Amino acid sequence: QVRLEESGGGSVQPGGSLRLSCVASGFIYSSLTMAWFRQAPGKEREGVASINSIETTYADSAKGRFTIPKDNAENIVYLQMNNLEVDDTAIYSCAARHGTAIDPLDEEDYNNWGQGTQVTVSS
């Protein structure tokens, strides 16, 4: 069983930056596909970014502003978010699965989830 724990959420003004962290344990880290999802109030959960040993994938809303670096030595995946917008306000959750995902940004492809961390962007 993969255990995931997120941190780094908070409040920021539009144009600001935040870095979320997800510490993973209980598995072979290099074999995982890791991803970040978010769910805004009244909206469905959506994939933001994913990473595995081969590639990274970004939602259109994240391209050019977010990156998903990974520290294999520490079993941590990050979500670096720059130039944040009010529409980025959501609960951000880390997800993982063994092997590659058919659709890296589809929540149905993941069976391990963190508890989520709140990100609020407002002026």
Side-chain angles (χ1 to χ4, degrees):
Q1 182 71 21
V2 179
R3 293 183 298 277
L4 305 170
E5 184 171 356
E6 305 99 333
S7 62
S11 297
V12 64
Q13 293 185 338
S17 297
L18 280 175
R19 188 179 76 164
L20 308 182
S21 301
C22 175
V23 179
S25 60
F27 55 89
I28 302 172
Y29 190 65
S30 61
S31 71
L32 292 180
T33 296
M34 306 286 294
W36 286 95
F37 288 78
R38 68 185 183 184
Q39 187 166 21
K43 295 185 178 180
E44 294 184 353
R45 185 157 55 187
E46 63 173 348
V48 176
S50 74
I51 185 169
N52 58 28
S53 60
I54 300 172
E55 62 184 359
T56 56
T57 305
Y58 294 96
D60 288 344
S61 60
K63 289 177 181 176
R65 299 188 300 128
F66 296 0
T67 59
I68 185 169
K70 186 180 176 186
D71 184 337
N72 287 326
E74 298 295 330
N75 289 355
I76 301 174
V77 65
Y78 302 96
L79 184 66
Q80 177 65 45
M81 303 185 291
N82 300 323
N83 194 21
L84 283 160
E85 303 170 352
V86 172
D87 286 347
D88 294 318
T89 296
I91 296 174
Y92 284 72
S93 299
C94 178
R97 59 159 292 144
H98 289 286
T100 57
I102 296 175
D103 183 347
L105 297 182
D106 184 349
E107 64 177 310
E108 297 296 326
D109 274 3
Y110 295 86
N111 56 357
N112 297 279
W113 293 86
Q115 80 286 355
T117 184
Q118 176 71 45
V119 171
T120 302
V121 184
S122 68
S123 55

